[in-house]
């Protein structure tokens, strides 16, 4: 029986980042539960995305309900099922939300969400390798973001053609303005996918500050024929101000 101060369910884009931040405080004992596998051979290779988009080993393969507007069809809804979650199978395109949207939400009463207020968090999450304005871009965060050069003649020609019809080349659409044409910035560095799995995978789990278990713990997982559970969350009790989770390992 082990106890933890925090249990984070799902080691995806959000969960792995939350566990990483919580475990930065050595007083916190953090358990990160992930239903899927620790990794997949194709998940770190950018082009491997094509091999994961319909692959049940790393993808929940959800689909939408049939409805009139889809002519009765079920549309595929892929979601990552491995460490890093969907950030381990996604398209790696890096685009921030538009400043005006954040500002409109703030004006509608969503205090704290204006672009000026969220910008420090965008900056803190990234290590951006391109040029750009340091007022908008972060250089020391955990997520590496790159800006590919339009070296291929096709891309260069399209960008040039856009200029001829008045669409300017924007060297950093995640900077002061999103308008214009540009190559997609990418969560790819050194030829590898940058997923949130990296924040957990960098350290072997035992040495990591965040404990990491593959743990399909919810009963419905067993009912839908997933692998045997390796751990069960047995309960959560409140001790002082922080909840303490009680985990029983090797249960089925
Ligand atoms: C194919 C694809 C392409 C995409 N392309 C882009 C792109 O180019 N650019 C972009 O910005 N965004 C893209 N996205 C979207 C982006 O990746 C997601 O919005 C983001 O990763 C979602 O993060 P999340 O933390 O909410 O969920 P996820 O990252 O999906 O994490 C959820 C995690 O929880 C786990 N889990 C679920 N249930 C349980 C359970 N009961 N117990 C334990 N673990 C559980 C899952 O296995 C998964 O690992 C794409 C997404 C997909 C699927």
């Amino acid at each position: 029986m082990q106890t933890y101060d925090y249990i984070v369910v799902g080691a995806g884009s959000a969960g792995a980042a939350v566990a990483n931040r919580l475990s930065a405080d050595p007083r916190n004992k953090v358990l990160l539960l992930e239903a899927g596998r620790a990794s997949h051979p194709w998940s770190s290779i950018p082009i491997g995305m094509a091999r994961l988009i319909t692959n049940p080993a790393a993808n929940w393969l959800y689909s939408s309900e049939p409805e009139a507007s889809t002519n009765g069809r079920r549309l595929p809804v892929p979601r990552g099922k491995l460490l890093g979650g969907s950030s381990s199978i996604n398209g790696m395109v890096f685009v921030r939300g538009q400043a005006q949207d954040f500002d409109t939400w703030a004006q509608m009463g969503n205090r704290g969400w204006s672009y000026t207020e969220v910008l420090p968090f965008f900056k803190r999450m990234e290590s951006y390798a391109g040029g750009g304005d340091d007022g908008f871009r972060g250089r020391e965060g955990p997520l590496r973001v790159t800006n590919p050069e339009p070296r291929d003649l096709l891309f260069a020609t399209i960008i040039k053609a856009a200029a001829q019809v008045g669409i300017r080349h924007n060297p950093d659409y995640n900077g002061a303005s999103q308008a214009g044409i540009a190559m997609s910035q990418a969560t790819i560095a050194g030829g590898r996918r940058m997923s949130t799995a990296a924040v957990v995978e960098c350290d072997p789990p035992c040495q990591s500050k965040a404990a990491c278990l593959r743990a399909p713990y919810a009963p419905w997982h067993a009912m839908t024929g997933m692998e045997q559970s390796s751990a069960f969350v047995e309960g959560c009790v409140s001790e002082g101000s922080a909840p303490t989770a009680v985990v029983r390992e090797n249960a089925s």
Side-chain angles (χ1 to χ4, degrees):
M1 196 87 87
Q2 292 189 41
T3 61
Y4 296 90
D5 301 309
Y6 297 96
I7 289 189
V8 181
V9 180
S13 295
V18 165
N20 191 44
R21 291 298 305 280
L22 285 170
S23 64
D25 182 340
R27 290 170 300 180
N28 292 337
K29 205 167 164 202
V30 181
L31 174 66
L32 179 56
L33 295 170
E34 170 51 47
R37 56 206 285 171
S39 83
H40 190 281
W42 286 110
S43 64
S44 59
I45 304 165
I47 197 68
M49 184 200 171
R51 307 299 293 259
L52 298 175
I53 197 79
T54 57
N55 189 335
N59 193 323
W60 291 94
L61 300 180
Y62 295 126
S63 59
S64 67
E65 290 298 317
E67 53 184 326
S69 59
T70 59
N71 200 20
R73 292 170 302 156
R74 290 180 184 274
L75 302 184
V77 182
R79 290 276 105 184
K81 188 175 72 174
L82 71 171
L83 217 55
S86 298
S87 79
S88 291
I89 69 163
N90 72 12
M92 296 158 286
V93 176
F94 191 76
V95 188
R96 287 180 189 169
Q98 204 202 145
Q100 205 177 16
D101 285 339
F102 289 100
D103 290 341
T104 306
W105 295 326
Q107 282 161 13
M108 290 167 76
N110 199 13
R111 289 201 184 146
W113 284 85
S114 70
Y115 193 64
T116 311
E117 286 162 301
V118 298
L119 182 57
F121 299 95
F122 278 127
K123 289 173 68 178
R124 197 163 79 185
M125 76 188 273
E126 69 173 3
S127 275
Y128 179 55
D133 180 348
D134 283 359
F136 288 91
R137 303 311 305 251
R139 308 290 177 182
E140 293 172 359
L143 184 64
R144 291 175 69 189
V145 179
T146 53
N147 190 11
E149 290 289 324
R151 285 199 196 96
D152 192 288
L153 183 61
L154 178 64
F155 298 132
T157 306
I158 291 172
I159 290 172
K160 209 167 146 191
Q164 287 169 1
V165 293
I167 301 169
R168 74 178 180 99
H169 177 225
N170 184 347
D172 183 11
Y173 59 76
N174 285 313
S177 166
Q178 281 195 327
I181 186 168
M183 297 285 288
S184 296
Q185 294 175 19
T187 45
I188 300 174
R192 317 291 286 181
R193 170 192 290 275
M194 298 290 112
S195 73
T196 56
V199 301
V200 183
E201 276 179 334
C202 279
D203 300 321
C206 295
Q207 291 164 29
S208 166
K209 283 179 276 174
C212 179
L213 289 178
R214 271 178 74 222
Y217 60 90
W220 62 266
H221 283 150
M223 282 161 51
T224 51
M226 282 186 60
E227 303 120 314
Q228 288 285 330
S229 300
S230 60
F232 263 67
V233 175
E234 196 150 74
C236 294
V237 292
S238 197
E239 280 183 5
S241 57
T244 297
V246 182
V247 176
R248 190 177 66 199
E249 288 185 62
N250 301 320
S252 59

